[in-house]
């Protein structure tokens, strides 16, 4: 996981990241995509009318932990299929 590059979806208006909240408690899970086109497919499939309000940015796996800590996320949600969507949740320890 550390040597990989991940792609995140970020709001152009306020800089916040796209997250998933499997339950109403907690700060949520940062959504990570393995490919740039997966993030774009996710946006176009599930929020096509809002896609222009977001951008896709890359982050090396070595920076994910510091990003989680800085934004106080509960963990990550790795999107394995952007069309369904299918997400694997990993909680930060």
């Amino acid at each position: 996981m550390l040597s990989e590059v991940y792609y995140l979806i970020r709001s152009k208006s306020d800089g916040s990241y796209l997250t998933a909240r499997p339950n109403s408690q907690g700060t949520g899970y940062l959504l990570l995509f393995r490919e740039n086109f997966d993030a774009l497919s996710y946006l176009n499939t599930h929020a096509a009318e809002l896609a222009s309000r977001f951008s896709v940015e890359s982050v090396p796996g070595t920076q994910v932990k510091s990003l989680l800590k800085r934004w106080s996320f509960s963990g990550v949600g790795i999107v394995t299929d952007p069309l369904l969507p299918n997400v694997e949740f990993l909680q930060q320890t």
Side-chain angles (χ1 to χ4, degrees), residues 15-53:
S16 62
Y17 290 100
L18 186 64
T19 61
R21 290 186 167 78
N23 57 42
S24 61
Q25 299 169 341
T27 56
Y29 291 78
L30 178 64
L31 289 181
L32 300 177
F33 299 85
R34 295 187 190 272
E35 299 291 340
N36 185 352
F37 58 82
D38 283 341
L40 293 172
S41 294
Y42 183 88
L43 275 176
N44 290 330
T45 301
H46 303 290
E49 66 281 353
L50 301 174
S52 64
R53 297 181 187 180

Side-chain angles (χ1 to χ4, degrees), residues 2-3 5 13-14 18 20 23 29 34 37-38 42-44 48-49 52 54 60 63-65 70 73 83 88 90:
L2 294 178
S3 64
V5 173
S13 63
D14 66 1
L18 186 64
N23 57 42
Y29 291 78
R34 295 187 190 272
F37 58 82
D38 283 341
Y42 183 88
L43 275 176
N44 290 330
E49 66 281 353
S52 64
F54 294 93
Q63 292 182 357
V64 171
K65 189 168 184 170
R70 183 178 336 125
F73 292 121
L83 301 178
E88 295 178 16
L90 303 169

